Amino acid sequence: QVQLVESGGGLVQPGGSLRLSCAASANILSIYTMAWYRQAPEKPRELVASITRGGSIYYDDSVKGRFTISRDNAKNTVYLQMNGLKPEDTAVYYCNGDGRLWTGDDFGSWGQGTQVTVSS
């Protein structure tokens, strides 16, 4: 079973920055797409950004120009650099990844979530 472990959340003032990390630990052959989602209280989970193994990137319009997603394939890790944070970015951020294990089995996993709070 693939575990995705997130880190880097916290409390930051409006306009500040945070960097989230998500590392996958397991017998992984390849991870196809890694993504960050977020869920604010009483709202559905939404896709924030995603990146394929080949480097194709998607951003939600609400974060374009402020957030940057990147990945290190050798480390099976994805990052989310968040600049210019706004109170409306406050949410629990979840990492998601799908790919294939050395056993030949496909997987799709979620991290446990990390809280990001933007407040003065």
Side-chain angles (χ1 to χ4, degrees), residues 37-40 43-47 92 94-96 110-111:
Y37 289 74
R38 66 186 179 187
Q39 187 167 20
K43 291 188 177 181
R45 191 173 296 188
E46 62 178 5
L47 175 62
V92 177
Y94 296 92
C95 174
N96 175 271
W110 290 91

Side-chain angles (χ1 to χ4, degrees), residues 26-49:
N27 201 14
I28 296 172
L29 172 62
S30 179
I31 301 180
Y32 306 140
T33 300
M34 302 189 81
W36 289 96
Y37 289 74
R38 66 186 179 187
Q39 187 167 20
E42 301 182 359
K43 291 188 177 181
R45 191 173 296 188
E46 62 178 5
L47 175 62
V48 175

Side-chain angles (χ1 to χ4, degrees), residues 4-118:
L4 301 180
V5 180
E6 298 132 338
S7 61
L11 172 64
V12 65
Q13 293 184 343
S17 298
L18 284 174
R19 187 188 194 216
L20 305 182
S21 300
C22 172
S25 62
N27 201 14
I28 296 172
L29 172 62
S30 179
I31 301 180
Y32 306 140
T33 300
M34 302 189 81
W36 289 96
Y37 289 74
R38 66 186 179 187
Q39 187 167 20
E42 301 182 359
K43 291 188 177 181
R45 191 173 296 188
E46 62 178 5
L47 175 62
V48 175
S50 65
I51 182 168
T52 68
R53 185 172 180 83
S56 295
I57 291 174
Y58 163 86
Y59 293 108
D60 183 79
D61 286 343
S62 64
V63 306
K64 282 182 180 177
R66 301 188 297 122
F67 291 10
T68 302
I69 190 171
S70 61
R71 64 187 284 173
D72 184 333
N73 290 331
K75 295 181 179 180
N76 290 327
T77 300
V78 64
Y79 306 95
L80 187 68
Q81 177 67 44
M82 305 185 293
N83 299 327
L85 283 161
K86 304 175 181 180
E88 51 264 44
D89 295 317
T90 296
V92 177
Y93 283 70
Y94 296 92
C95 174
N96 175 271
D98 65 84
R100 179 158 293 179
L101 304 176
W102 283 103
T103 59
D105 295 324
D106 291 332
F107 73 89
S109 295
W110 290 91
Q112 80 285 358
T114 185
Q115 177 70 46
V116 172
T117 303
V118 185

